[in-house]
Amino acid sequence: MKDNHLKDRFLSVCKNKIHRQGIDSILRWLEDTDFYTAPASTRFHGNYEQGLVEHSLNVYDALIQLAALHPTYKISDESIAITALFHDLCKANFYMESTRNVKDESTGTWHKKPFYKIDDRLPLGHGEKSVIILLKHMALTDDEIYAIRWHMSGFDCAVKGGDFGCSKAYETCPLAVLLHMADMTASYLMEDRIG
């Protein structure tokens, strides 16, 4: 059941913290996607309706706290909001509702169970896909690009393949490190998973 308070809070943060040209454009784009109702994953964290918008807000809250612990880096409220709220744009229109047959062990009967599966219609990667989508609507600083691109850290396919770009970004961009930490905090410490 859809609850609008998450969407309302997301839009409120955007309105109050992001003043960059293009914010209206990206918000219009989001309205044409399932961003506000989509899950955050298929089986890990937030694998339920509105999990993606909830996750984005949790990352925002965690990033605010982490940035406050490291005030010498002087990360703007706008950069915190942009990177946290839009780091997973790649997941809009990415999941599809489906069902699978599961056996009830106590009765031995089979029944259909709903689940989300991946239906990637824009196969550009993960962090890089979010950056590409966002750049179609607004300009980003280099630090914002690094942070969104590398927020998956060791879970990123490029890193698993031996790419050292993530390490270089983390050496030069504290925001990238902090966004990754905020993403992990939200995913593993703040959010539920169903099933």
Side-chain angles (χ1 to χ4, degrees), residues 38-159:
S41 72
T42 57
R43 64 183 192 272
F44 302 108
H45 63 99
N47 62 336
Y48 41 81
E49 186 176 2
Q50 294 188 303
L52 181 53
V53 68
E54 177 188 70
H55 172 68
S56 300
L57 289 165
N58 286 342
V59 171
Y60 174 72
D61 292 338
L63 186 53
I64 288 171
Q65 292 177 1
L66 287 165
L69 291 173
H70 303 280
T72 56
Y73 296 124
K74 296 180 178 26
I75 300 167
S76 73
D77 291 346
E78 185 172 59
S79 285
I80 288 171
I82 288 170
T83 58
L85 296 179
F86 299 127
H87 77 283
D88 271 345
L89 284 180
C90 58
K91 295 181 179 182
N93 295 333
F94 184 71
Y95 298 111
M96 174 182 194
E97 290 183 63
S98 189
T99 59
R100 64 176 158 231
N101 292 324
V102 293
K103 188 175 185 179
D104 184 327
E105 295 299 325
S106 62
T107 64
T109 59
W110 291 88
H111 64 277
K112 290 194 180 297
K113 180 179 178 181
F115 78 106
Y116 289 102
K117 68 180 185 177
I118 293 173
D119 180 27
D120 192 356
R121 293 171 253 164
L122 188 60
L124 297 171
H126 188 87
E128 55 268 62
K129 180 176 172 181
S130 293
V131 168
I132 291 166
I133 292 169
L134 197 48
L135 282 172
K136 288 181 176 184
H137 301 275
M138 71 169 57
L140 299 174
T141 68
D142 287 350
D143 283 356
E144 291 163 354
I145 291 171
Y146 299 150
I148 294 170
R149 165 60 185 103
W150 294 111
H151 76 269
M152 292 288 290
S153 191
F155 296 100
D156 189 276
C157 291
V159 173

Side-chain angles (χ1 to χ4, degrees), residues 14 18 20-28 86 137-138:
C14 287
I18 303 172
R20 193 169 302 173
Q21 184 175 348
I23 186 61
D24 293 334
S25 177
I26 191 64
L27 293 178
R28 279 192 305 274
F86 299 127
H137 301 275
M138 71 169 57

Side-chain angles (χ1 to χ4, degrees), residues 14-41:
C14 287
K15 177 184 173 195
N16 292 308
K17 299 295 181 182
I18 303 172
H19 306 290
R20 193 169 302 173
Q21 184 175 348
I23 186 61
D24 293 334
S25 177
I26 191 64
L27 293 178
R28 279 192 305 274
W29 182 82
L30 287 178
E31 288 295 336
D32 292 332
T33 72
D34 65 354
F35 181 85
Y36 298 112
T37 58
S41 72

